[in-house]
Amino acid sequence: MTTPSIDAQVRLDTHPSHPSAVTATLTGTQHRTAHALLTTHGFEPVNEHTLMLARIDHEEPYWAQQTAQKLADEEGVTVEIRPRLRAAIDEEWTWANYPMHWCTRQEIREVSHQANQLYEDIRSGRLVIHAHAEDGGGPPSRSVRTGAARASTSTGRITCGRSPAPSTPRPRPSPPSNASTARPCGPAPHPRPKRSSRPPKPALP
């Protein structure tokens, strides 16, 4: 059965100054419907007609494509993917020196998606880290963080290696120049990871 179309058009493109981030520009008399649908897929509003997708794992092109397909196939929204974003979607890359080297590309993407969800839950206040203590005696080797979700009484425990010194947070990408400014929405994505390459040559004695 064909999904009936609605009068809403979405144009997806890369952010002008942060290539891994993705912008969505909306037109049509039913653009508010598309606006609401995009927010359920991780896009954050800049204004009534513009949204932005920025992730800590630099996988915005992949998830933008997944969103575009769902909007078109399931919701009847007309979606245009601009050439720069299409090139980013088609680009094959992987993390250099990825610690779980046995994972496939799709498995790496699933792990990074879970990390991004955890980050967004903390940033939005849905998950609150309310305790931090060393685990075990002697020199500290592990740290334990206990988190509680605001929406429920459930708690979780995360055990990890000694935390590095906190770094200064980076601002999120600014809205495109043709959009009005809105509230900041977190740190900007770091530069996209480089393609895997041959190991560096050993230093000469």
PDB file of all heavy atoms in Angstrom, residues 54-73:
ATOM      1  N   ALA A  54      23.597  16.878  14.990  1.00  0.00           N
ATOM      2  CA  ALA A  54      25.013  16.858  15.354  1.00  0.00           C
ATOM      3  C   ALA A  54      25.214  15.752  16.384  1.00  0.00           C
ATOM      4  O   ALA A  54      24.519  15.706  17.395  1.00  0.00           O
ATOM      5  CB  ALA A  54      25.453  18.212  15.919  1.00  0.00           C
ATOM      6  N   ARG A  55      26.156  14.860  16.117  1.00  0.00           N
ATOM      7  CA  ARG A  55      26.377  13.696  16.964  1.00  0.00           C
ATOM      8  C   ARG A  55      27.851  13.628  17.383  1.00  0.00           C
ATOM      9  O   ARG A  55      28.723  14.140  16.689  1.00  0.00           O
ATOM     10  CB  ARG A  55      26.019  12.406  16.207  1.00  0.00           C
ATOM     11  CG  ARG A  55      24.569  12.317  15.793  1.00  0.00           C
ATOM     12  CD  ARG A  55      24.352  11.127  14.851  1.00  0.00           C
ATOM     13  NE  ARG A  55      24.813   9.886  15.422  1.00  0.00           N
ATOM     14  CZ  ARG A  55      24.052   9.039  16.115  1.00  0.00           C
ATOM     15  NH1 ARG A  55      22.775   9.310  16.320  1.00  0.00           N
ATOM     16  NH2 ARG A  55      24.549   7.903  16.598  1.00  0.00           N
ATOM     17  N   ILE A  56      28.119  12.943  18.501  1.00  0.00           N
ATOM     18  CA  ILE A  56      29.498  12.812  18.960  1.00  0.00           C
ATOM     19  C   ILE A  56      30.269  11.750  18.187  1.00  0.00           C
ATOM     20  O   ILE A  56      31.485  11.684  18.263  1.00  0.00           O
ATOM     21  CB  ILE A  56      29.561  12.503  20.476  1.00  0.00           C
ATOM     22  CG1 ILE A  56      28.904  11.149  20.785  1.00  0.00           C
ATOM     23  CG2 ILE A  56      28.934  13.633  21.277  1.00  0.00           C
ATOM     24  CD1 ILE A  56      29.126  10.674  22.209  1.00  0.00           C
ATOM     25  N   ASP A  57      29.553  10.898  17.442  1.00  0.00           N
ATOM     26  CA  ASP A  57      30.242   9.830  16.709  1.00  0.00           C
ATOM     27  C   ASP A  57      30.490  10.170  15.241  1.00  0.00           C
ATOM     28  O   ASP A  57      30.972   9.334  14.485  1.00  0.00           O
ATOM     29  CB  ASP A  57      29.463   8.517  16.815  1.00  0.00           C
ATOM     30  CG  ASP A  57      28.044   8.619  16.247  1.00  0.00           C
ATOM     31  OD1 ASP A  57      27.671   9.714  15.767  1.00  0.00           O
ATOM     32  OD2 ASP A  57      27.319   7.610  16.288  1.00  0.00           O
ATOM     33  N   HIS A  58      30.123  11.394  14.810  1.00  0.00           N
ATOM     34  CA  HIS A  58      30.368  11.867  13.436  1.00  0.00           C
ATOM     35  C   HIS A  58      29.618  11.047  12.392  1.00  0.00           C
ATOM     36  O   HIS A  58      29.990  11.054  11.221  1.00  0.00           O
ATOM     37  CB  HIS A  58      31.859  11.848  13.113  1.00  0.00           C
ATOM     38  CG  HIS A  58      32.726  12.359  14.221  1.00  0.00           C
ATOM     39  ND1 HIS A  58      32.718  13.680  14.620  1.00  0.00           N
ATOM     40  CD2 HIS A  58      33.593  11.723  15.052  1.00  0.00           C
ATOM     41  CE1 HIS A  58      33.567  13.838  15.628  1.00  0.00           C
ATOM     42  NE2 HIS A  58      34.096  12.660  15.918  1.00  0.00           N
ATOM     43  N   GLU A  59      28.560  10.375  12.798  1.00  0.00           N
ATOM     44  CA  GLU A  59      27.806   9.526  11.868  1.00  0.00           C
ATOM     45  C   GLU A  59      26.546  10.224  11.352  1.00  0.00           C
ATOM     46  O   GLU A  59      25.594   9.570  10.935  1.00  0.00           O
ATOM     47  CB  GLU A  59      27.420   8.216  12.555  1.00  0.00           C
ATOM     48  CG  GLU A  59      28.567   7.273  12.804  1.00  0.00           C
ATOM     49  CD  GLU A  59      28.939   6.471  11.563  1.00  0.00           C
ATOM     50  OE1 GLU A  59      28.452   6.812  10.463  1.00  0.00           O
ATOM     51  OE2 GLU A  59      29.715   5.518  11.699  1.00  0.00           O
ATOM     52  N   GLU A  60      26.530  11.545  11.351  1.00  0.00           N
ATOM     53  CA  GLU A  60      25.341  12.273  10.912  1.00  0.00           C
ATOM     54  C   GLU A  60      24.891  11.906   9.496  1.00  0.00           C
ATOM     55  O   GLU A  60      23.686  11.722   9.255  1.00  0.00           O
ATOM     56  CB  GLU A  60      25.578  13.793  10.997  1.00  0.00           C
ATOM     57  CG  GLU A  60      25.768  14.307  12.399  1.00  0.00           C
ATOM     58  CD  GLU A  60      27.222  14.385  12.813  1.00  0.00           C
ATOM     59  OE1 GLU A  60      28.034  13.636  12.236  1.00  0.00           O
ATOM     60  OE2 GLU A  60      27.542  15.193  13.688  1.00  0.00           O
ATOM     61  N   PRO A  61      25.805  11.794   8.516  1.00  0.00           N
ATOM     62  CA  PRO A  61      25.339  11.442   7.163  1.00  0.00           C
ATOM     63  C   PRO A  61      24.577  10.120   7.115  1.00  0.00           C
ATOM     64  O   PRO A  61      23.544  10.011   6.445  1.00  0.00           O
ATOM     65  CB  PRO A  61      26.639  11.390   6.346  1.00  0.00           C
ATOM     66  CG  PRO A  61      27.556  12.330   7.058  1.00  0.00           C
ATOM     67  CD  PRO A  61      27.249  12.136   8.510  1.00  0.00           C
ATOM     68  N   TYR A  62      25.084   9.121   7.826  1.00  0.00           N
ATOM     69  CA  TYR A  62      24.418   7.811   7.825  1.00  0.00           C
ATOM     70  C   TYR A  62      23.018   7.923   8.424  1.00  0.00           C
ATOM     71  O   TYR A  62      22.033   7.447   7.835  1.00  0.00           O
ATOM     72  CB  TYR A  62      25.242   6.796   8.618  1.00  0.00           C
ATOM     73  CG  TYR A  62      24.518   5.487   8.841  1.00  0.00           C
ATOM     74  CD1 TYR A  62      24.484   4.516   7.848  1.00  0.00           C
ATOM     75  CD2 TYR A  62      23.849   5.236  10.053  1.00  0.00           C
ATOM     76  CE1 TYR A  62      23.796   3.315   8.048  1.00  0.00           C
ATOM     77  CE2 TYR A  62      23.169   4.038  10.258  1.00  0.00           C
ATOM     78  CZ  TYR A  62      23.147   3.089   9.255  1.00  0.00           C
ATOM     79  OH  TYR A  62      22.462   1.915   9.458  1.00  0.00           O
ATOM     80  N   TRP A  63      22.898   8.553   9.589  1.00  0.00           N
ATOM     81  CA  TRP A  63      21.597   8.637  10.249  1.00  0.00           C
ATOM     82  C   TRP A  63      20.667   9.596   9.520  1.00  0.00           C
ATOM     83  O   TRP A  63      19.432   9.419   9.564  1.00  0.00           O
ATOM     84  CB  TRP A  63      21.777   9.031  11.714  1.00  0.00           C
ATOM     85  CG  TRP A  63      22.434   7.944  12.493  1.00  0.00           C
ATOM     86  CD1 TRP A  63      23.714   7.908  12.969  1.00  0.00           C
ATOM     87  CD2 TRP A  63      21.859   6.672  12.836  1.00  0.00           C
ATOM     88  NE1 TRP A  63      23.976   6.709  13.586  1.00  0.00           N
ATOM     89  CE2 TRP A  63      22.860   5.928  13.524  1.00  0.00           C
ATOM     90  CE3 TRP A  63      20.607   6.092  12.635  1.00  0.00           C
ATOM     91  CZ2 TRP A  63      22.623   4.639  14.007  1.00  0.00           C
ATOM     92  CZ3 TRP A  63      20.375   4.808  13.116  1.00  0.00           C
ATOM     93  CH2 TRP A  63      21.380   4.106  13.796  1.00  0.00           C
ATOM     94  N   ALA A  64      21.206  10.593   8.843  1.00  0.00           N
ATOM     95  CA  ALA A  64      20.361  11.467   8.030  1.00  0.00           C
ATOM     96  C   ALA A  64      19.739  10.682   6.878  1.00  0.00           C
ATOM     97  O   ALA A  64      18.561  10.867   6.542  1.00  0.00           O
ATOM     98  CB  ALA A  64      21.186  12.633   7.482  1.00  0.00           C
ATOM     99  N   GLN A  65      20.516   9.792   6.279  1.00  0.00           N
ATOM    100  CA  GLN A  65      19.980   8.961   5.204  1.00  0.00           C
ATOM    101  C   GLN A  65      18.889   8.024   5.723  1.00  0.00           C
ATOM    102  O   GLN A  65      17.849   7.833   5.071  1.00  0.00           O
ATOM    103  CB  GLN A  65      21.092   8.149   4.557  1.00  0.00           C
ATOM    104  CG  GLN A  65      20.612   7.298   3.380  1.00  0.00           C
ATOM    105  CD  GLN A  65      21.695   6.393   2.849  1.00  0.00           C
ATOM    106  OE1 GLN A  65      22.489   5.840   3.603  1.00  0.00           O
ATOM    107  NE2 GLN A  65      21.747   6.225   1.539  1.00  0.00           N
ATOM    108  N   GLN A  66      19.115   7.420   6.895  1.00  0.00           N
ATOM    109  CA  GLN A  66      18.105   6.546   7.473  1.00  0.00           C
ATOM    110  C   GLN A  66      16.813   7.320   7.756  1.00  0.00           C
ATOM    111  O   GLN A  66      15.698   6.826   7.501  1.00  0.00           O
ATOM    112  CB  GLN A  66      18.624   5.929   8.777  1.00  0.00           C
ATOM    113  CG  GLN A  66      19.864   5.062   8.613  1.00  0.00           C
ATOM    114  CD  GLN A  66      19.640   3.895   7.683  1.00  0.00           C
ATOM    115  OE1 GLN A  66      18.720   3.106   7.875  1.00  0.00           O
ATOM    116  NE2 GLN A  66      20.473   3.775   6.658  1.00  0.00           N
ATOM    117  N   THR A  67      16.955   8.535   8.259  1.00  0.00           N
ATOM    118  CA  THR A  67      15.791   9.370   8.534  1.00  0.00           C
ATOM    119  C   THR A  67      15.074   9.736   7.250  1.00  0.00           C
ATOM    120  O   THR A  67      13.832   9.693   7.181  1.00  0.00           O
ATOM    121  CB  THR A  67      16.223  10.645   9.282  1.00  0.00           C
ATOM    122  OG1 THR A  67      16.839  10.292  10.517  1.00  0.00           O
ATOM    123  CG2 THR A  67      15.032  11.554   9.553  1.00  0.00           C
ATOM    124  N   ALA A  68      15.828  10.098   6.218  1.00  0.00           N
ATOM    125  CA  ALA A  68      15.226  10.477   4.939  1.00  0.00           C
ATOM    126  C   ALA A  68      14.393   9.333   4.373  1.00  0.00           C
ATOM    127  O   ALA A  68      13.285   9.544   3.859  1.00  0.00           O
ATOM    128  CB  ALA A  68      16.324  10.879   3.951  1.00  0.00           C
ATOM    129  N   GLN A  69      14.919   8.131   4.476  1.00  0.00           N
ATOM    130  CA  GLN A  69      14.197   6.980   3.939  1.00  0.00           C
ATOM    131  C   GLN A  69      12.900   6.734   4.697  1.00  0.00           C
ATOM    132  O   GLN A  69      11.859   6.432   4.099  1.00  0.00           O
ATOM    133  CB  GLN A  69      15.089   5.741   4.003  1.00  0.00           C
ATOM    134  CG  GLN A  69      14.489   4.516   3.325  1.00  0.00           C
ATOM    135  CD  GLN A  69      15.487   3.369   3.218  1.00  0.00           C
ATOM    136  OE1 GLN A  69      16.676   3.548   3.459  1.00  0.00           O
ATOM    137  NE2 GLN A  69      14.992   2.201   2.865  1.00  0.00           N
ATOM    138  N   LYS A  70      12.952   6.859   6.025  1.00  0.00           N
ATOM    139  CA  LYS A  70      11.745   6.645   6.821  1.00  0.00           C
ATOM    140  C   LYS A  70      10.693   7.722   6.554  1.00  0.00           C
ATOM    141  O   LYS A  70       9.498   7.435   6.458  1.00  0.00           O
ATOM    142  CB  LYS A  70      12.101   6.609   8.311  1.00  0.00           C
ATOM    143  CG  LYS A  70      12.852   5.352   8.719  1.00  0.00           C
ATOM    144  CD  LYS A  70      13.122   5.321  10.207  1.00  0.00           C
ATOM    145  CE  LYS A  70      13.834   4.034  10.606  1.00  0.00           C
ATOM    146  NZ  LYS A  70      14.100   3.972  12.061  1.00  0.00           N
ATOM    147  N   LEU A  71      11.133   8.979   6.440  1.00  0.00           N
ATOM    148  CA  LEU A  71      10.184  10.058   6.177  1.00  0.00           C
ATOM    149  C   LEU A  71       9.493   9.859   4.836  1.00  0.00           C
ATOM    150  O   LEU A  71       8.289  10.098   4.698  1.00  0.00           O
ATOM    151  CB  LEU A  71      10.902  11.411   6.196  1.00  0.00           C
ATOM    152  CG  LEU A  71      11.415  11.915   7.544  1.00  0.00           C
ATOM    153  CD1 LEU A  71      12.063  13.274   7.382  1.00  0.00           C
ATOM    154  CD2 LEU A  71      10.291  11.980   8.567  1.00  0.00           C
ATOM    155  N   ALA A  72      10.255   9.437   3.838  1.00  0.00           N
ATOM    156  CA  ALA A  72       9.686   9.260   2.502  1.00  0.00           C
ATOM    157  C   ALA A  72       8.796   8.021   2.424  1.00  0.00           C
ATOM    158  O   ALA A  72       7.676   8.075   1.887  1.00  0.00           O
ATOM    159  CB  ALA A  72      10.808   9.178   1.470  1.00  0.00           C
ATOM    160  N   ASP A  73       9.279   6.896   2.964  1.00  0.00           N
ATOM    161  CA  ASP A  73       8.562   5.626   2.818  1.00  0.00           C
ATOM    162  C   ASP A  73       7.377   5.487   3.767  1.00  0.00           C
ATOM    163  O   ASP A  73       6.340   4.921   3.401  1.00  0.00           O
ATOM    164  CB  ASP A  73       9.516   4.449   3.044  1.00  0.00           C
ATOM    165  CG  ASP A  73      10.610   4.372   1.998  1.00  0.00           C
ATOM    166  OD1 ASP A  73      10.480   5.060   0.958  1.00  0.00           O
ATOM    167  OD2 ASP A  73      11.595   3.648   2.220  1.00  0.00           O
TER     168      ASP A  73
END
